[in-house]
Amino acid sequence: MTDTDCDAVVVGTGPAGATCAEVLTAAGWSVIMLEKGRNHLLSLDAPFNPLGHVSNDELKLVFRHFLGPDPWLEPRTFRSSEDDGDRIYTGDVNNLPSTVGGGGMHADGKVPRFREIDFRLASELGPVDGADVVDWPLDYDELEPYYAEAERVVGVAGDAAVNPYAAWRSGPYPMPPGPDMFCAVLTSEAATRLGYHPYRAPTAVNSVEYDGRPACNNCGFCGYFGCPIDAKGDPVAPLRHALRTGRCEIRPESYVTEVLLDETGRRARGVRYVGVDGTVHELSARHVILGAGAFETPRLLLRSEIGNSDVVGRFLMYHFQTFALGVFPFRLHAHRGRSVTHLMDDPIIPDADAQAAARGAGLPWMRGGIVEHGGASHPITEAIHLPPGEDHTRLMMASPMRDRMAAFTMQGEDLPQATNRIDLDPSVTDAWGLPAGRVTYRPHRHELVCAQHWAPRLETVMKEAGARHTFWATSPPLPEQEARRRAANPSPMSRHVMGTARMGDDPRTSVCDRWQRLHDVENVLVADSSVFPTSAGYGPTLTIVALAIRAARALADLEPLRSQRPTGS
Amino acid sequence: MAIWLTEHEHAVVAAAADRVIPPVGGHPGGGALGVADFIDSLLGAFVFDPPRIWAGGPFSGRAGGTASFDEFLPLNSLEELAWRTRIEGSKGMVERERNGAVIGWQQQYRNGIAALGRDFCDISGREQDARLNGDPAFKNLLYTHACEGAYGAPEYGGNREMRGWGAIQYQGDVQPRGYTDREVEGRE
Ligand SMILES: Cc1cc2nc3c(=O)[nH]c(=O)nc-3n(C[C@H](O)[C@H](O)[C@H](O)COP(=O)(O)OP(=O)(O)OC[C@H]3O[C@@H](n4cnc5c(N)ncnc54)[C@H](O)[C@@H]3O)c2cc1C
Ligand code: SF4
């Protein structure tokens, strides 16, 4: 018997928190999940059916902050360096949904695994001036069975045979891939003709009925929307599994303001949180698990004054995004389907050209990221990008952006730099009166050189696919576009946020240990991508889930999962 | 029927909507699409309970399922604070001025429409454009809302008879029917 309210309190209900809740409740623990945002995902009463609030509604989901956070209630601030002063922008900075389900609601769920080398950059490739490239305190072989388990839990559809660069796998994907989007077939066939290696993306979207949830029906309101029929599995699947044990309670609209320590200062006794009506509550727990996302977790650590104060919030990484866009002379209807159905890893595996470009720029090496083959947006998004007047009407009817544009997004690896960080803004506050999170971020030369190398090559693929006009852009913009960058929102568009409570074996240079527990407060575990030591060029979510399974199992003293590398792979 | 705008203001917004989204070819333009009704129901969102901010779900009924978009979803107290501040402005209230005073959309429209002149509906299109260009910030606000009204779900008051979607060959919301694999994969 314990005298705490629960065995574990989990902060945040996104993929990280939901995964821990599933593992711990299955191990017999009682778990209370505190979520700052509202619940629009699933009924909290058995059988935990969808609430039916999310819909194919561009206005509500994309423009009216339905899944939160409302940037007026929860502003964040941005500057590119200390030279900018306190901030140059206040508003939406890398906002992911703040709601039961977290960013998993918006994500369109491309979930590739990392490769072996991604865990060993320092050993395999060596240092880069001005960056702090390190190895992870675990390797791919150790994580492989957790990747396999993650794919089973959230339900991933994919084909193990199609990516020649993929790391070894102990088994197939749980589901076959879903249908290919027309535009992605055009661009991936063109890429193949030019010697690249595109493949059907592993996606956390049901291609067949799976785990009691239906197959995706290709509605196309996928990235930036929630799924009205629950065909996206992460994190509704783990949340529902946890709730079904009867040992999990989810409390929405509960904003954790502080992790509370006991008198020793080395153990947490629980958390303090505020309800939407302003009432303050305390919850006691044997363990505190932080899955608030790599932006809010360091903010909470900083507010609570725990974690290695020299490192918390530092080494903030995104993916440096390079967009190559092509406008086609015919309609592509890319608003049908799962937003992105093909990927290619080629820029991650440097060829002779890329190596020469790196050396020419004085870099020892350079790595890009996966290229997502997608397109499309919805009509309000297209409309507001067009000028008012007759051009508006003419262009909306021809639809160069929504219906004729294919898009490559390269999620380029972002090198860790100590000066890139999240801290607390000195004067801007949120609706609860707490200091806003502030980003200080400037890309390393590596990212800029890499984007400039790959962008024209990706444009060439677009042309080969039949695009009549092509162009490219990056987020954040390149330095020569600095003037434009000052005009609108200057913060990176990336929704992949990592590194702000990095894990490692040395308590002086990291915040968490290899089991993701704080070095200085032993019963606090960080479950999200804050712990990533490097960013790799892949979407982070499957790795978040795999790591969370591993860390939560270790916490509950469960046997480590093991897997067998097939011979010959 | 006006909700928050006066009859005259409603007419001015409709005329201005036809300048920023003019009827051309098969496109009915912002006026005929009901952009003024859309903006009026946004400015008057809190006349209704629940306020007309977030349409319901999961389905509109247009592609099967039971229609529920027109059952708007309630806001919690903080969300109401945010949306009232946006629409009504901060009006000196402490809780609305945490990070500075806010001039609400209601006032921006009232002032912006007044500045377009009493005779706005009666002058030439070219003259209307010149007056709209005289206040770029207001024109930008109006244009953003006109885009939302023309191409958002009709339950918000615009996109009359879904003619906004029809004009641009867009099907709108498609759940629960979705698209068949052939519609996703095939060329049209
Ligand atoms: C449009 C879009 C597309 C994406 N596509 C992909 C993709 O294809 N592949 C991929 O790998 N990733 C993708 N992502 C990123 C993915 O969503 C994130 O990696 C993932 O959601 C991170 O999970 P998390 O649990 O760590 O954090 P989150 O999902 O951010 O969840 C954190 C939760 O914690 C809550 N919280 C924060 N602070 C507090 C507090 N103090 N008290 C209580 N609750 C709190 C938040 O409200 C939130 O609900 C995409 C994201 C977006 C927005
Ligand atoms: S495309 Fe599929 S997974 Fe995405 S929202 Fe629609 S039905 Fe759900």
Side-chain angles (χ1 to χ4, degrees):
Chain A
M1 278 302 291
T2 63
D3 53 3
T4 52
D5 294 322
C6 56
D7 292 320
V9 55
V10 175
V11 183
T13 54
T19 304
C20 291
E22 163 160 7
V23 173
L24 296 176
T25 52
W29 288 32
S30 61
V31 170
I32 297 179
M33 305 188 79
L34 300 176
E35 168 56 56
K36 167 159 78 68
R38 286 183 66 185
N39 177 24
H40 294 298
L41 180 62
L42 78 179
S43 163
L44 299 180
D45 297 315
F48 315 109
N49 284 331
L51 281 179
H53 293 184
V54 296
S55 48
N56 287 178
D57 181 342
E58 187 185 11
L59 192 55
K60 176 170 89 172
L61 274 306
V62 183
F63 291 91
R64 291 193 176 170
H65 320 296
F66 177 60
L67 297 178
D70 186 316
W72 187 82
L73 294 170
E74 301 181 59
R76 292 169 169 181
T77 63
F78 178 84
R79 57 181 185 170
S80 53
S81 76
E82 290 182 7
D83 300 340
D84 282 340
D86 284 344
R87 70 193 73 77
I88 52 172
Y89 172 78
T90 303
D92 171 345
V93 180
N94 322 123
N95 285 1
L96 282 137
S98 176
T99 188
V100 171
M105 291 284 269
H106 267 188
D108 40 302
K110 286 90 58 191
V111 285
R113 299 178 177 194
F114 290 8
R115 298 165 64 240
E116 292 91 334
I117 188 177
D118 295 316
F119 300 87
R120 296 177 42 78
L121 282 193
S123 306
E124 303 264 342
L125 298 178
V128 178
D129 274 351
D132 194 32
V133 176
V134 288
D135 287 350
W136 290 43
L138 71 161
D139 61 16
Y140 178 84
D141 288 7
E142 184 185 343
L143 200 57
E144 200 286 338
Y146 300 97
Y147 271 134
E149 177 68 4
E151 288 165 351
R152 274 191 295 276
V153 169
V154 302
V156 179
D159 180 346
V162 288
N163 178 9
Y165 297 122
W168 70 270
R169 309 175 48 91
S170 52
Y173 284 101
M175 285 177 272
D180 302 329
M181 288 164 62
F182 171 58
C183 69
V185 173
L186 288 181
T187 53
S188 58
E189 284 174 356
T192 305
R193 288 196 295 276
L194 295 180
Y196 300 106
H197 303 84
Y199 59 96
R200 300 172 86 188
T203 318
V205 165
N206 288 359
S207 58
V208 292
E209 191 182 322
Y210 185 83
D211 193 17
R213 294 176 294 105
C216 163
N217 63 20
N218 310 310
C219 77
F221 290 76
C222 209
Y224 288 99
F225 293 83
C227 182
I229 59 166
D230 261 2
K232 295 184 196 176
D234 196 13
V236 75
L239 286 176
R240 201 171 272 145
H241 299 159
L243 288 166
R244 280 188 190 137
T245 64
R247 288 185 286 276
C248 178
E249 183 194 337
I250 299 178
R251 296 188 190 166
E253 300 173 69
S254 302
Y255 183 166
V256 176
T257 54
E258 203 183 324
V259 177
L260 302 169
L261 300 185
D262 70 6
E263 56 288 352
T264 69
R266 304 246 347 143
R267 283 190 69 82
R269 60 184 168 84
V271 297
R272 181 175 295 135
Y273 70 96
V274 198
V276 73
D277 56 359
T279 50
V280 179
H281 308 261
E282 283 192 8
L283 192 75
S284 59
R286 290 197 298 123
H287 294 272
V288 174
I289 296 183
L290 305 182
F295 198 112
E296 293 298 323
T297 287
R299 187 171 166 236
L300 176 55
L301 291 172
L302 290 167
R303 276 203 302 266
S304 311
E305 297 181 350
I306 58 173
N308 176 351
S309 59
D310 292 337
V311 188
V312 171
R314 293 191 182 273
F315 305 108
L316 165 68
M317 298 171 290
Y318 301 113
H319 283 136
F320 190 90
Q321 294 179 312
T322 303
F323 310 100
L325 305 154
V327 182
F328 285 71
F330 45 86
R331 289 186 182 255
L332 302 174
H333 58 72
H335 57 279
R336 303 178 188 170
R338 295 156 285 144
S339 301
V340 169
T341 55
H342 290 67
L343 299 173
M344 61 194 191
D345 292 12
D346 298 84
I348 303 179
I349 296 88
D351 55 12
D353 274 0
Q355 278 164 340
R359 277 194 302 274
L363 293 163
W365 49 267
M366 128 183 145
R367 302 194 336 141
I370 44 164
V371 177
E372 303 173 354
H373 293 235
S377 59
H378 290 273
I380 304 175
T381 307
E382 176 170 39
I384 59 171
H385 283 97
L386 298 174
E390 292 205 355
D391 280 351
H392 168 103
T393 314
R394 203 174 39 73
L395 289 168
M396 281 304 286
M397 290 167 70
S399 196
M401 274 191 274
R402 180 181 58 80
D403 217 4
R404 292 175 198 265
M405 189 186 282
F408 289 137
T409 305
M410 181 173 84
Q411 307 280 6
E413 175 144 12
D414 186 10
L415 298 185
Q417 303 177 70
T419 45
N420 286 346
R421 67 187 298 197
I422 285 169
D423 67 355
L424 302 179
D425 191 280
S427 56
V428 176
T429 60
D430 67 17
W432 292 262
L434 299 173
R438 173 176 66 179
V439 165
T440 306
Y441 175 87
R442 171 166 283 172
H444 188 278
R445 201 160 43 88
H446 163 271
E447 285 88 75
L448 307 177
V449 171
C450 199
Q452 277 162 314
H453 176 78
W454 282 103
R457 287 169 171 76
L458 295 176
E459 260 189 298
T460 306
V461 181
M462 275 295 171
K463 290 204 176 83
E464 170 71 19
R468 193 168 282 168
H469 310 289
T470 60
F471 55 103
W472 62 272
T474 66
S475 176
L478 300 177
E480 53 269 28
Q481 297 154 345
E482 192 82 7
R484 263 183 51 207
R485 158 203 181 107
R486 301 264 154 174
N489 180 347
S491 67
M493 282 166 61
S494 174
R495 264 51 185 156
H496 301 166
V497 186
M498 294 158 279
T500 49
R502 57 175 15 189
M503 61 175 160
D505 290 332
D506 184 347
R508 288 165 307 178
T509 56
S510 57
V511 178
C512 300
D513 67 15
R514 58 172 63 208
W515 300 103
Q516 302 180 220
R517 300 181 209 171
L518 293 185
H519 287 298
D520 64 355
V521 186
E522 58 200 20
N523 61 337
V524 175
L525 186 153
V526 176
D528 55 47
S529 49
S530 305
V531 301
F532 285 21
T534 53
S535 66
Y538 294 97
T541 309
L542 192 75
T543 303
I544 295 174
V545 174
L547 286 173
I549 296 173
R550 173 181 169 274
R553 286 184 65 93
L555 190 65
D557 274 332
L558 300 174
E559 278 288 299
L561 298 178
R562 294 185 203 289
S563 61
Q564 202 68 46
R565 182 177 186 145
T567 42
S569 73
Chain B
M1 45 99 240
I3 302 165
W4 189 86
L5 296 169
T6 65
E7 295 287 337
H8 165 72
E9 288 171 330
H10 190 280
V12 170
V13 170
D18 258 348
R19 297 314 302 168
V20 291
I21 305 184
V24 175
H27 194 303
L33 285 175
V35 161
D37 287 345
F38 170 86
I39 289 173
D40 195 25
S41 57
L42 175 60
L43 299 177
F46 284 93
V47 168
F48 303 89
D49 185 19
R52 297 175 73 85
I53 302 291
W54 293 327
F59 310 132
S60 70
R62 287 183 278 273
T66 310
S68 53
F69 275 29
D70 50 10
E71 292 162 28
F72 278 71
L73 297 171
L75 275 54
N76 74 17
S77 54
L78 283 173
E79 292 163 346
E80 176 166 344
L81 174 69
W83 281 98
R84 279 197 186 271
T85 305
R86 237 172 232 130
I87 293 171
E88 298 166 0
S90 57
K91 297 180 171 168
M93 288 178 234
V94 190
E95 70 276 19
R96 296 189 187 183
E97 302 209 328
R98 188 173 30 85
N99 289 313
V102 177
I103 300 171
W105 287 334
Q106 290 178 342
Q107 195 184 333
Q108 294 180 48
Y109 273 94
R110 188 128 289 161
N111 298 347
I113 293 167
L116 293 177
R118 286 293 310 171
D119 56 349
F120 186 79
C121 296
D122 308 320
I123 56 180
S124 72
R126 184 175 300 185
E127 175 70 1
Q128 286 174 329
D129 286 345
R131 291 197 195 170
L132 280 166
N133 291 336
D135 184 351
F138 177 61
K139 182 178 176 187
N140 193 34
L141 179 74
L142 178 95
Y143 179 58
T144 302
H145 288 155
C147 292
E148 294 179 359
Y151 309 111
E155 286 78 2
Y156 292 96
N159 189 8
R160 224 173 257 163
E161 292 151 22
M162 293 172 295
R163 288 167 64 207
W165 288 342
I168 60 170
Q169 300 180 47
Y170 177 69
Q171 291 83 345
D173 58 281
V174 291
Q175 285 287 6
R177 187 189 63 227
Y179 293 106
T180 62
D181 290 4
R182 270 203 61 215
E183 286 172 316
V184 173
E185 296 181 331
R187 186 178 190 140
E188 303 237 306

